[in-house]
Amino acid sequence: MQKKITLRNLLDKEGLIVAPGCHDAFGAKIIEHVGFEVAYMTGNGTSASLIGKPDLGLITASEMVTHARGIVSAVNIPIICDCDNGYGGVNNVIRAVEEYEAAGVSAIHIEDQDMPKKCAALGDIKFIAKEELTEKIKAAVHARKDKNFTIIARTDCRSALGLKEAISRGQACANAGADVVYIELLESIDEMKEVVRSIDAPVMFDMLEHFRMPYINVKELENIGYKLVVFPLSSTLTYAKSILGLMTSLKETGTTEAFLDKMLTLKEYEHLLGYDMIERREIAIRKQC
């Protein structure tokens, strides 16, 4: 419960919340270690990590919740999770909220894609009606047991249906009780400013590298008026390129020597995983016995 309160307090305070993305618990521990106050569990990266497949709606709700539980248990900071489209209709959304909240997640976002859903950046997406989206958001708000569990409403319709419709959906979701509104795939800074001006709720931004949006510093996002920014695939894309380079080099040369300066030492690795703390705790328990 405390992590949910922590996120809620951050949303109520001045300033931008920066939540880097991770696809596993070790990534979340690194995010926490360097001083970020919130982390984001990416659905796209989780699909790649768990089942080695693209973000095409193939990973199940139970797989996502189980994975989230492991990440939550590894860190002391709030975790925001991708809840796709709620995995079905209103009753599926209610079940998803119950399961994510029970897993200790602090926030989820629910989008307006129809089935089968896929990564919004891939294009050619089908959408549910605005009224169905708002019903899902109302159901999610009603289903949560703790009012501090944050419901984020997401629309992916900007590219297909236009900015006006995307903003209209965001406004409707805010009116339906969403705590945060997330409009995906904006195409310019002017559009970002228009979204912030038009939505009567905190607004979230998704910094997706190698896409249409120009790279923008978190301070600029804060100045525009955004409350939350996630970097969903930054760590996953970096991990993939790093491992690809390592394995290619090993295959070609028969050694990992060229990558030694890119590796943590075993001591650094163990420290990040909390080995020292676990060992001290074990010693303390033995002394009490």
Side-chain angles (χ1 to χ4, degrees), residues 40-138:
Y40 172 74
M41 188 186 95
T42 161
N44 191 314
T46 296
S47 183
S49 175
L50 280 189
I51 62 175
K53 295 185 184 300
D55 186 12
L56 296 173
L58 301 174
I59 195 163
T60 66
S62 58
E63 288 172 321
M64 287 288 285
V65 169
T66 298
H67 195 58
R69 184 177 290 110
I71 291 175
V72 168
S73 68
V75 295
N76 295 311
I77 58 175
I79 301 296
I80 301 169
C81 286
D82 185 350
C83 188
D84 292 322
N85 57 3
Y87 309 104
V90 166
N91 288 320
N92 302 87
V93 169
I94 291 171
R95 174 76 189 283
V97 169
E98 292 171 346
E99 295 297 326
Y100 273 108
E101 187 173 1
V105 169
S106 297
I108 57 171
H109 62 72
I110 299 169
E111 67 200 32
D112 57 353
Q113 285 197 37
D114 202 351
M115 300 292 284
K117 65 87 57 190
K118 61 181 178 179
C119 175
L122 296 174
D124 192 26
I125 301 167
K126 297 177 182 179
F127 299 94
I128 59 175
K130 179 170 63 178
E131 293 74 20
E132 186 177 350
L133 172 61
T134 56
E135 285 177 2
K136 287 187 177 186
I137 298 305
K138 289 177 181 178

Side-chain angles (χ1 to χ4, degrees), residues 8 17 28 32 34 45 72 84 96 116-117 127 147 158 176 184 208 217 226 228 230 256:
R8 180 66 65 170
I17 302 168
E32 180 181 39
V34 301
V72 168
D84 292 322
K117 65 87 57 190
F127 299 94
K147 65 180 181 180
R158 160 61 190 97
E184 174 76 305
L208 183 61
N217 188 279
Y226 276 89
L228 170 64
V230 297
T256 61

Side-chain angles (χ1 to χ4, degrees), residues 163-212:
L163 180 63
K164 183 177 179 180
E165 175 63 17
I167 290 175
S168 176
R169 289 182 177 225
Q171 291 168 332
C173 287
N175 292 335
D179 301 298
V180 177
V181 172
Y182 168 18
I183 297 182
E184 174 76 305
L185 303 179
L186 297 175
E187 298 184 0
S188 70
I189 292 175
D190 285 341
E191 289 192 0
M192 294 163 63
K193 291 178 178 178
E194 180 64 21
V195 165
V196 172
R197 283 194 299 266
S198 303
I199 305 294
D200 188 20
V203 183
M204 169 177 159
F205 186 74
D206 169 356
M207 183 60 74
L208 183 61
E209 293 88 356
H210 307 297
F211 202 64
R212 297 189 188 100

